[in-house]
Amino acid sequence: MSTPVKVLAHTALVVLGVLVGLAGALVQAAWLPAGLLLALLATGALFYGGLRAVGGQAGLLSSGAGWLAAVVAVWLGRGEGDKLFWGGLADLVFVLGGMATAVMCITLTSLPQQGGPAGPLDGGRART
């Protein structure tokens, strides 16, 4: 992938991360418990999609940075006292569940190989 395409892909993933974070914050509180499940599924799809789209952990880090920035921004609220998160259990499950999903996805560092992994009976050679 060329450098301009990488920059565009990572920028798009950051923007998608912000959008999924904001949408998840709204949906999880509105349609409890189905909204919470939907928000966590969308978060997982974003993280895994970023991992696969870029072909490595950098895609997950880009989407995760956007998601985390949006979630922290709505968690802190404004000076007037307007907040989306009020410290309830569903809010905490959304934030911690999203972070746990990111950790699970980032441990998927090795993407599946085309020929499959080399087995002990192959003499260490990958299948062709």
Side-chain angles (χ1 to χ4, degrees):
M1 210 184 310
S2 65
T3 303
V5 173
K6 283 183 183 180
V7 169
L8 183 63
H10 287 288
T11 304
L13 285 172
V14 169
V15 170
L16 279 173
V18 169
L19 292 176
V20 169
L22 290 176
L26 293 171
V27 167
Q28 64 88 19
W31 300 327
L32 196 65
L36 178 61
L37 181 62
L38 180 65
L40 287 174
L41 286 174
T43 301
L46 169 74
F47 292 158
Y48 187 71
L51 179 75
R52 296 291 295 200
V54 177
Q57 292 178 342
L60 178 91
L61 293 174
S62 297
S63 59
W67 181 85
L68 187 62
V71 169
V72 167
V74 297
W75 191 291
L76 294 176
R78 299 182 354 177
E80 293 86 13
D82 299 333
K83 295 166 79 170
L84 287 179
F85 290 144
W86 288 97
L89 182 62
D91 301 338
L92 190 61
V93 169
F94 174 63
V95 173
L96 293 178
M99 290 180 187
T101 304
V103 168
M104 284 187 282
C105 287
I106 207 156
T107 58
L108 298 172
T109 56
S110 60
L111 297 174
Q113 300 173 1
Q114 291 290 53
L121 300 177
D122 295 344
R125 296 181 308 241
R127 290 180 231 139
T128 57

